[in-house]
Amino acid sequence: MKNKRESPASDGTTAQPRLHQRAAEIQAYGTVNHLLPLELEETVRLEMTAQLNQLLADTMTLRDLYKKSHWQVAGPTFYQLHLLFDKHFDEQVELVDSIAERIQLLGGISIAMAHDVAEMTRIERPPRGREAVPVQLSRLLDAHQVIIGQVRKLARRAGELGDDGTNDLVVSEVLRRNELQAWFLSEHLVDAPLVHAEPVHAK
Ligand SMILES: [Fe+2]
């Protein structure tokens, strides 16, 4: 029996939402749109979007490593590191968006979901449990090193291929931000005295 509550209009339109829909993708991952007024060859855009997706996977992983560190940090430096880790997290969030949208504007498809990120990233997986501050800092610095190394190669390649927009993004935003964050972290691993300075012995 027909449900009277639906009461569709004569042209078939109805106020009922069409739920649980699935359909074929409209663009496959790993492809780029053909027709874009960017004056960049399809082969260039294919290579750049592939490399940018690797950078995206690693940046999303570093972003999440910062939140893990923000939540789980312990010890006498809790307050300053809790705040610093969240500041860096916020900055990595912005980088993630810039990289992902660069991929899309080049006609490609950005990875987005945690499953895909986990499969792609080259950053070492940390344990679920809590680690001491020096280990947290070391893991974050190792992750920055992975990203900084890749960004330098990507920037040179983008320059060679004439993709100046990608070159500018990865140098001006990604490289510089990662270098700065790595500096802020590494200064916390200097074993400088907090209370007692070593006295200088007279000869
Ligand atoms: Fe928080």
Side-chain angles (χ1 to χ4, degrees):
M1 198 174 101
K2 195 165 170 31
N3 187 344
K4 284 184 180 168
R5 283 174 301 174
E6 281 187 18
S7 59
S10 57
D11 64 357
T13 56
T14 168
Q16 297 303 315
R18 298 174 186 274
L19 304 176
H20 312 302
Q21 301 192 59
R22 300 287 186 279
E25 296 174 348
I26 59 171
Q27 184 185 348
Y29 177 78
T31 64
V32 291
N33 283 330
H34 303 285
L35 302 171
L36 290 176
L38 297 174
E39 295 293 315
L40 275 175
E41 296 281 339
E42 192 173 333
T43 53
V44 171
R45 294 187 287 112
L46 272 171
E47 182 176 335
M48 287 294 101
T49 51
Q51 290 197 32
L52 285 165
N53 262 321
Q54 182 61 56
L55 180 61
L56 180 59
D58 293 332
T59 302
M60 288 166 109
T61 305
L62 176 57
R63 173 200 65 190
D64 294 346
L65 192 56
Y66 268 116
K67 204 52 133 174
K68 172 176 166 61
S69 306
H70 165 74
W71 290 327
Q72 297 180 356
V73 63
T77 55
F78 170 83
Y79 188 58
Q80 72 171 88
L81 286 179
H82 183 68
L83 298 183
L84 181 71
F85 291 155
D86 219 23
K87 177 177 183 287
H88 285 194
F89 169 86
D90 288 340
E91 292 167 354
Q92 292 292 334
V93 166
E94 288 182 17
L95 295 182
V96 164
D97 203 43
S98 296
I99 298 164
E101 291 181 357
R102 179 82 201 158
I103 294 165
Q104 293 294 143
L105 79 80
L106 287 172
I109 298 178
S110 312
I111 52 146
M113 301 306 293
H115 325 70
D116 301 313
V117 173
E119 283 175 9
M120 284 179 66
T121 187
R122 292 161 308 163
I123 293 169
E124 182 186 337
R125 181 177 178 170
R128 289 187 181 178
R130 208 173 189 187
E131 293 184 298
V133 163
V135 182
Q136 288 186 310
L137 291 166
S138 296
R139 283 192 186 282
L140 289 163
L141 280 165
D142 289 345
H144 278 295
Q145 191 171 1
V146 167
I147 289 172
I148 286 170
Q150 196 214 336
V151 162
R152 291 191 194 284
K153 287 191 199 125
L154 174 52
R156 276 194 291 273
R157 186 68 180 142
E160 282 168 16
L161 295 174
D163 186 353
D164 302 317
T166 296
N167 174 281
D168 179 53
L169 168 70
V170 298
V171 173
S172 306
E173 291 190 39
V174 184
L175 179 62
R176 285 179 182 274
R177 183 59 59 186
N178 276 274
E179 285 177 334
L180 195 66
Q181 292 188 352
W183 175 42
F184 270 71
L185 294 183
S186 61
E187 292 295 350
H188 289 85
L189 286 173
V190 176
D191 199 6
L194 272 180
V195 178
H196 284 285
E198 279 297 319
V200 180
H201 297 292
K203 286 182 183 173

